[in-house]
Short mmCIF file of all heavy atoms in Angstrom, two decimals:
data_model
loop_
_atom_site.label_atom_id
_atom_site.label_comp_id
_atom_site.label_asym_id
_atom_site.label_seq_id
_atom_site.Cartn_x
_atom_site.Cartn_y
_atom_site.Cartn_z
N ILE A 270 -2.92 19.94 4.26
CA ILE A 270 -3.78 20.53 5.29
C ILE A 270 -3.91 22.03 5.02
O ILE A 270 -2.90 22.74 4.92
CB ILE A 270 -3.23 20.24 6.71
CG1 ILE A 270 -3.11 18.72 6.94
CG2 ILE A 270 -4.15 20.86 7.76
CD1 ILE A 270 -2.81 18.31 8.37
N ILE A 271 -5.15 22.47 4.90
CA ILE A 271 -5.42 23.86 4.51
C ILE A 271 -5.96 24.62 5.72
O ILE A 271 -7.11 24.43 6.13
CB ILE A 271 -6.45 23.91 3.36
CG1 ILE A 271 -6.01 23.02 2.19
CG2 ILE A 271 -6.67 25.35 2.92
CD1 ILE A 271 -7.11 22.81 1.13
N ASN A 272 -5.11 25.47 6.29
CA ASN A 272 -5.51 26.27 7.44
C ASN A 272 -6.05 27.61 6.95
O ASN A 272 -5.30 28.41 6.38
CB ASN A 272 -4.28 26.47 8.36
CG ASN A 272 -4.58 27.31 9.57
OD1 ASN A 272 -5.72 27.63 9.85
ND2 ASN A 272 -3.53 27.68 10.31
N LEU A 273 -7.33 27.85 7.16
CA LEU A 273 -7.93 29.10 6.66
C LEU A 273 -7.72 30.29 7.59
O LEU A 273 -8.11 31.42 7.27
CB LEU A 273 -9.42 28.89 6.37
CG LEU A 273 -9.73 27.80 5.34
CD1 LEU A 273 -11.23 27.70 5.12
CD2 LEU A 273 -9.02 28.08 4.02
N LYS A 274 -7.12 30.01 8.75
CA LYS A 274 -6.81 31.07 9.73
C LYS A 274 -7.99 32.02 9.93
O LYS A 274 -9.14 31.59 10.01
CB LYS A 274 -5.56 31.82 9.28
CG LYS A 274 -4.34 30.92 9.19
CD LYS A 274 -3.06 31.67 9.13
CE LYS A 274 -1.90 30.69 9.17
NZ LYS A 274 -0.60 31.31 9.16
N TYR A 276 -8.58 34.44 7.67
CA TYR A 276 -8.78 35.10 6.37
C TYR A 276 -10.27 35.22 6.06
O TYR A 276 -11.03 34.26 6.26
CB TYR A 276 -8.05 34.33 5.25
CG TYR A 276 -6.55 34.50 5.35
CD1 TYR A 276 -5.74 33.45 5.76
CD2 TYR A 276 -5.95 35.73 5.03
CE1 TYR A 276 -4.36 33.60 5.87
CE2 TYR A 276 -4.58 35.89 5.14
CZ TYR A 276 -3.79 34.82 5.55
OH TYR A 276 -2.44 34.99 5.66
N LEU A 354 -5.72 21.32 14.79
CA LEU A 354 -4.34 21.80 14.89
C LEU A 354 -4.12 22.12 16.36
O LEU A 354 -5.07 22.39 17.09
CB LEU A 354 -4.14 23.10 14.12
CG LEU A 354 -4.33 23.15 12.60
CD1 LEU A 354 -4.00 24.57 12.11
CD2 LEU A 354 -3.45 22.14 11.91
N HIS A 357 -0.30 26.05 17.13
CA HIS A 357 0.13 26.80 15.94
C HIS A 357 0.96 27.99 16.38
O HIS A 357 0.75 28.55 17.45
CB HIS A 357 -1.11 27.25 15.14
CG HIS A 357 -0.74 27.80 13.80
ND1 HIS A 357 -0.31 29.09 13.63
CD2 HIS A 357 -0.70 27.21 12.58
CE1 HIS A 357 -0.02 29.29 12.34
NE2 HIS A 357 -0.25 28.15 11.69
N SER A 358 1.89 28.39 15.55
CA SER A 358 2.76 29.53 15.82
C SER A 358 1.99 30.78 16.26
O SER A 358 2.51 31.62 16.99
CB SER A 358 3.47 29.87 14.52
OG SER A 358 4.80 30.05 14.72
N GLU A 359 0.76 30.89 15.76
CA GLU A 359 -0.06 32.05 16.09
C GLU A 359 -0.99 31.77 17.27
O GLU A 359 -1.86 32.59 17.60
CB GLU A 359 -0.86 32.47 14.83
CG GLU A 359 0.08 32.98 13.73
CD GLU A 359 -0.43 32.73 12.31
OE1 GLU A 359 -1.51 32.14 12.15
OE2 GLU A 359 0.28 33.12 11.37
N CYS A 384 1.89 21.62 15.96
CA CYS A 384 2.82 22.48 15.23
C CYS A 384 4.08 22.75 16.05
O CYS A 384 4.03 22.92 17.27
CB CYS A 384 2.15 23.80 14.89
SG CYS A 384 0.71 23.59 13.86
N ALA A 403 3.73 19.34 12.35
CA ALA A 403 3.95 20.29 11.25
C ALA A 403 5.00 21.29 11.70
O ALA A 403 4.81 21.98 12.71
CB ALA A 403 2.66 21.01 10.90
N GLU A 405 7.00 24.74 11.07
CA GLU A 405 6.84 25.99 10.32
C GLU A 405 7.76 27.05 10.93
O GLU A 405 7.57 27.43 12.08
CB GLU A 405 5.41 26.51 10.44
CG GLU A 405 4.34 25.55 10.00
CD GLU A 405 2.99 26.24 9.86
OE1 GLU A 405 2.51 26.83 10.84
OE2 GLU A 405 2.45 26.19 8.76
N PRO A 406 8.73 27.54 10.17
CA PRO A 406 9.56 28.64 10.71
C PRO A 406 8.72 29.92 10.78
O PRO A 406 8.25 30.40 9.75
CB PRO A 406 10.69 28.78 9.68
CG PRO A 406 10.26 28.02 8.47
CD PRO A 406 9.15 27.10 8.84
N PRO A 407 8.50 30.45 11.99
CA PRO A 407 7.57 31.57 12.16
C PRO A 407 7.80 32.74 11.22
O PRO A 407 6.86 33.34 10.72
CB PRO A 407 7.77 31.99 13.62
CG PRO A 407 8.30 30.76 14.30
CD PRO A 407 9.09 30.01 13.26
N LEU A 409 8.73 32.91 8.21
CA LEU A 409 8.32 32.74 6.81
C LEU A 409 6.81 32.62 6.64
O LEU A 409 6.30 32.63 5.51
CB LEU A 409 9.01 31.50 6.21
CG LEU A 409 10.53 31.52 6.13
CD1 LEU A 409 11.05 30.23 5.51
CD2 LEU A 409 11.02 32.71 5.30
N ILE A 410 6.11 32.52 7.77
CA ILE A 410 4.65 32.33 7.69
C ILE A 410 3.98 33.57 7.07
O ILE A 410 4.25 34.68 7.47
CB ILE A 410 4.06 32.03 9.09
CG1 ILE A 410 4.51 30.64 9.56
CG2 ILE A 410 2.53 32.14 9.08
CD1 ILE A 410 4.05 30.26 10.94
N GLY A 411 3.13 33.31 6.08
CA GLY A 411 2.38 34.39 5.45
C GLY A 411 3.14 35.15 4.39
O GLY A 411 2.62 36.06 3.76
N GLY A 412 4.41 34.76 4.16
CA GLY A 412 5.23 35.49 3.19
C GLY A 412 5.31 34.77 1.85
O GLY A 412 4.60 33.81 1.59
N ASP A 413 6.22 35.27 1.00
CA ASP A 413 6.33 34.73 -0.36
C ASP A 413 7.54 33.83 -0.54
O ASP A 413 7.78 33.30 -1.62
CB ASP A 413 6.38 35.87 -1.39
CG ASP A 413 5.01 36.49 -1.54
OD1 ASP A 413 4.01 35.74 -1.45
OD2 ASP A 413 4.93 37.73 -1.71
N ILE A 414 8.35 33.68 0.50
CA ILE A 414 9.50 32.78 0.40
C ILE A 414 9.12 31.49 1.07
O ILE A 414 8.71 31.48 2.25
CB ILE A 414 10.74 33.40 1.08
CG1 ILE A 414 11.08 34.73 0.40
CG2 ILE A 414 11.93 32.46 1.06
CD1 ILE A 414 12.07 35.57 1.15
N SER A 415 9.24 30.39 0.35
CA SER A 415 8.74 29.13 0.92
C SER A 415 9.79 28.45 1.79
O SER A 415 11.00 28.57 1.56
CB SER A 415 8.29 28.17 -0.19
OG SER A 415 9.40 27.52 -0.73
N VAL A 438 5.27 20.21 6.49
CA VAL A 438 5.97 21.49 6.56
C VAL A 438 5.06 22.61 6.08
O VAL A 438 4.19 22.37 5.24
CB VAL A 438 7.28 21.50 5.75
CG1 VAL A 438 8.26 20.52 6.30
CG2 VAL A 438 7.03 21.26 4.29
N GLY A 439 5.29 23.79 6.59
CA GLY A 439 4.48 24.93 6.16
C GLY A 439 5.26 26.22 6.28
O GLY A 439 6.31 26.27 6.93
N ALA A 440 4.74 27.24 5.65
CA ALA A 440 5.22 28.62 5.63
C ALA A 440 5.66 29.00 4.22
O ALA A 440 6.61 28.43 3.69
CB ALA A 440 6.36 28.89 6.62
N GLY A 441 4.90 29.91 3.66
CA GLY A 441 5.23 30.47 2.35
C GLY A 441 5.02 29.55 1.16
O GLY A 441 5.40 29.88 0.04
N ILE A 442 4.40 28.40 1.40
CA ILE A 442 4.20 27.46 0.28
C ILE A 442 3.12 28.00 -0.66
O ILE A 442 2.05 28.40 -0.21
CB ILE A 442 3.82 26.06 0.83
CG1 ILE A 442 4.99 25.57 1.66
CG2 ILE A 442 3.38 25.12 -0.30
CD1 ILE A 442 5.34 24.17 1.64
N LYS A 443 3.45 28.02 -1.94
CA LYS A 443 2.51 28.63 -2.88
C LYS A 443 2.18 27.73 -4.08
O LYS A 443 1.13 27.92 -4.68
CB LYS A 443 3.12 29.94 -3.45
CG LYS A 443 3.29 31.05 -2.42
CD LYS A 443 1.96 31.69 -2.07
CE LYS A 443 2.09 32.85 -1.12
NZ LYS A 443 2.45 32.53 0.25
N ILE A 459 2.03 19.00 3.43
CA ILE A 459 2.21 20.42 3.73
C ILE A 459 1.01 20.99 4.52
O ILE A 459 -0.10 20.47 4.46
CB ILE A 459 2.44 21.26 2.45
CG1 ILE A 459 1.25 21.14 1.51
CG2 ILE A 459 3.71 20.86 1.75
CD1 ILE A 459 1.20 22.26 0.51
N LEU A 460 1.33 22.05 5.23
CA LEU A 460 0.32 22.84 5.95
C LEU A 460 0.37 24.23 5.31
O LEU A 460 1.42 24.87 5.31
CB LEU A 460 0.68 22.89 7.44
CG LEU A 460 -0.19 23.73 8.36
CD1 LEU A 460 -1.65 23.28 8.32
CD2 LEU A 460 0.32 23.62 9.81
N ILE A 461 -0.73 24.63 4.72
CA ILE A 461 -0.72 25.88 3.93
C ILE A 461 -1.89 26.77 4.33
O ILE A 461 -2.95 26.26 4.68
CB ILE A 461 -0.77 25.53 2.41
CG1 ILE A 461 -0.78 26.79 1.55
CG2 ILE A 461 -1.96 24.64 2.07
CD1 ILE A 461 -0.59 26.53 0.06
N ALA A 462 -1.68 28.08 4.24
CA ALA A 462 -2.77 29.01 4.55
C ALA A 462 -2.96 30.02 3.43
O ALA A 462 -3.77 29.84 2.54
CB ALA A 462 -2.52 29.69 5.88
N SER A 463 -2.15 31.10 3.43
CA SER A 463 -2.41 32.22 2.53
C SER A 463 -2.39 31.82 1.05
O SER A 463 -3.14 32.39 0.25
CB SER A 463 -1.42 33.37 2.78
OG SER A 463 -0.10 32.89 2.77
N GLY A 464 -1.55 30.87 0.69
CA GLY A 464 -1.45 30.44 -0.71
C GLY A 464 -2.78 29.98 -1.26
O GLY A 464 -3.06 30.12 -2.46
N ILE A 465 -3.64 29.43 -0.40
CA ILE A 465 -4.97 29.03 -0.85
C ILE A 465 -6.00 30.09 -0.44
O ILE A 465 -6.78 30.53 -1.27
CB ILE A 465 -5.35 27.65 -0.28
CG1 ILE A 465 -4.46 26.58 -0.93
CG2 ILE A 465 -6.84 27.35 -0.51
CD1 ILE A 465 -4.71 25.17 -0.48
N ALA A 466 -5.96 30.51 0.81
CA ALA A 466 -7.00 31.44 1.29
C ALA A 466 -7.12 32.68 0.42
O ALA A 466 -8.21 33.19 0.18
CB ALA A 466 -6.71 31.82 2.73
N LYS A 467 -5.97 33.17 -0.08
CA LYS A 467 -6.01 34.42 -0.85
C LYS A 467 -5.97 34.19 -2.36
O LYS A 467 -5.85 35.14 -3.13
CB LYS A 467 -4.85 35.31 -0.40
CG LYS A 467 -4.99 35.70 1.07
CD LYS A 467 -3.77 36.38 1.60
CE LYS A 467 -3.86 37.87 1.38
NZ LYS A 467 -2.77 38.59 2.06
O1 G3P B 71 -0.81 26.98 9.23
C1 G3P B 71 -0.22 27.28 8.03
C2 G3P B 71 0.70 28.40 8.09
O2 G3P B 71 1.06 28.94 9.28
C3 G3P B 71 1.46 28.75 6.91
O3 G3P B 71 0.92 29.96 6.50
O4 G3P B 71 0.29 31.61 4.86
O5 G3P B 71 2.64 30.86 5.02
O6 G3P B 71 0.91 29.31 4.10
P1 G3P B 71 1.22 30.45 5.03
#
Side-chain angles (χ1 to χ4, degrees):
I270 303 190
I271 307 169
N272 179 9
L273 300 181
K274 299 196 175 182
Y276 288 108
L354 297 183
H357 190 278
S358 227
E359 294 149 359
C384 300
E405 303 192 304
L409 297 180
I410 291 177
D413 286 325
I414 300 168
S415 81
V438 296
I442 297 217
K443 294 285 184 289
I459 60 161
L460 177 58
I461 180 170
S463 52
I465 291 180
K467 297 171 90 172

